[in-house]
Amino acid sequence: MSADNSRPDVLTPLRNLCNSVKCSRDRVRDGESNECSGMFSLSNFWQTLSEAVKSASQEATKLSVMFSKPPPPSEEDCVKIAESVQKSVLTLSTVYFWLPKSQGVTLRKVVRDATAEVLDGLVHLLEAILSSPGESLSQEQLMSTGGVWAACDQFNQLPKENRSAVLGVLTACAGLVKDALEEMEQALAEAQDPFGDVLDDEDDDDEGNQDTHWSEADRLLIAQCQGLMKASGASLRRLCAAVRNNSTLEPEEKIAQLDDLADAAREISPRCVEELESNIKSRR
């Protein structure tokens, strides 16, 4: 290792870059979109965003390869790669902020989370490199590089307009209700004891038996809760069908109505369903 490469200031550009990426990530998570004063093209947005994501993935690869084996790069090379990565980060975050709320709050949340995940992956990669500069490729650095790639690849599967984003929320909520209902039915089946009547006759005061079996009143309550969950699941499935078959992509008023549906679905699950399921299980 040369004397220049061993100086602490060689890695200063990477440390500054890491702090800058953290700021960009936090700004994406908490910031507001720019107001769209003119015509907004959703297709152009996705094309530009796709190019920005591809650039971020490529820069992460270059960065990781540069620090994959000793000796570490020179200070000049560190400055160059830091500037290149910083440019891709600023481009990605800037393009994200192009997406106005008028295109759908639900869609914007999906894009926001995906963008923040890419930036967070870059932070982890930089931290892995800074923790062991000049050494061979570490497992942490390898995993961090793969994490950036995975975060970038997921953009291909993101919904491209608000209807698809809302449909994803509704489908996920319906799936959660279905899973909770199946868990409840399984717990109820496991509580069935073919010798329960015998045990009850022999010892009605057996606390252990009371702890492991539901009373008739509990079973009646559970049946009513199951009916409520089934009704919720059926409503969500019908909403999914209605959104899939009837909703339009514009105007903005209808886009906002779709967001209201997504918010209403979130009120049904996961919080309410999980709380109901937990309270029922606690009665055992």
Side-chain angles (χ1 to χ4, degrees), residues 19-38:
N19 291 331
S20 178
V21 177
K22 288 179 181 178
C23 290
S24 295
R25 176 199 60 192
D26 295 341
R27 191 166 67 91
V28 165
R29 286 175 175 170
D30 303 329
E32 295 292 333
S33 62
N34 298 325
E35 292 297 330
C36 184
S37 57

Side-chain angles (χ1 to χ4, degrees), residues 151-172:
C152 292
D153 288 344
Q154 74 170 332
F155 275 80
N156 294 326
Q157 281 74 48
L158 293 184
K160 297 302 187 290
E161 30 76 23
N162 202 49
R163 178 175 61 180
S164 297
V166 170
L167 188 59
V169 172
L170 296 177
T171 302

Side-chain angles (χ1 to χ4, degrees), residues 199-200 202-215 283-284:
L199 291 174
D200 289 341
E202 291 180 352
D203 189 358
D204 291 337
D205 296 328
D206 186 354
E207 293 183 0
N209 190 51
Q210 292 176 357
D211 289 340
T212 56
H213 302 291
W214 277 307
S215 66
R283 298 178 66 89
R284 293 186 62 181

